[in-house]
Amino acid sequence: MPQDCIFCRIAAGEIQADLVHEDEQCVAFRDINPQAPTHILIIPRKHIEGIAKAETEHQALLGHLMLVVGKVARTEGIEDSGYRTVINWGRDSGMEVPHLHLHVLGGRAMSWPPG
Ligand code: AMP
Ligand code: ZN
């Protein structure tokens, strides 16, 4: 695990986070700077730099992360009102943390296209 990766350190329990889900493959926690009333990040325990670096060997893990989106949204009570899932990659997206993460945002109406 890259020692300087903040999300690896959260997954390892070395940095405290407000966890809402964890299993053998991933953890989910509240974003420290929420952009909506509900803003959860879902990360694989395994360090993958981002969606652009995902390989065929990660296929089952990626599917698992998608299922956890639905599970977390259900337990957060935003399934009926709706939510948005975002995966950033690269400069134009504004990605800040180079460890794959899925944003789950809900609890307010969102505009389209995104900014
Ligand atoms: P991105 O711009 O897609 O890389 O998103 C990174 C997200 O991680 C941002 O929304 C940050 O607010 C969030 N973040 C950074 N550090 C922490 C942390 N220690 N705990 C929770 N969320 C964090
Ligand atoms: Zn990492």
Side-chain angles (χ1 to χ4, degrees):
M1 132 186 159
Q3 288 304 314
D4 57 347
C5 176
I6 191 166
F7 285 179
C8 278
R9 296 188 68 194
I10 286 175
E14 294 174 9
I15 293 178
Q16 205 251 322
D18 187 359
L19 298 188
V20 297
H21 170 90
E22 64 179 320
D23 60 45
E24 66 289 343
Q25 296 182 78
C26 72
V27 302
F29 52 92
R30 295 190 195 284
D31 196 293
I32 205 166
N33 182 23
Q35 301 302 310
T38 300
H39 188 170
I40 307 293
L41 299 175
I42 302 169
I43 66 168
R45 290 187 183 277
K46 182 182 178 62
H47 182 86
I48 300 169
E49 204 182 325
I51 196 70
K53 301 295 182 183
E55 308 274 2
T56 306
E57 66 183 89
H58 302 130
Q59 189 166 322
L61 172 60
L62 297 175
H64 179 73
L65 296 174
M66 298 293 277
L67 291 175
V68 172
V69 169
K71 191 170 186 170
V72 164
R74 215 165 296 131
T75 56
E76 289 293 315
I78 55 172
E79 182 176 272
D80 290 346
S81 51
Y83 54 90
R84 183 171 292 171
T85 302
V86 172
I87 302 175
N88 289 320
W89 171 260
R91 186 193 62 220
D92 281 356
S93 76
M95 186 189 194
E96 289 172 358
V97 180
H99 178 130
L100 176 63
H101 50 281
L102 286 66
H103 297 258
V104 182
L105 299 135
R108 66 168 172 83
M110 280 166 228
S111 57
W112 191 265

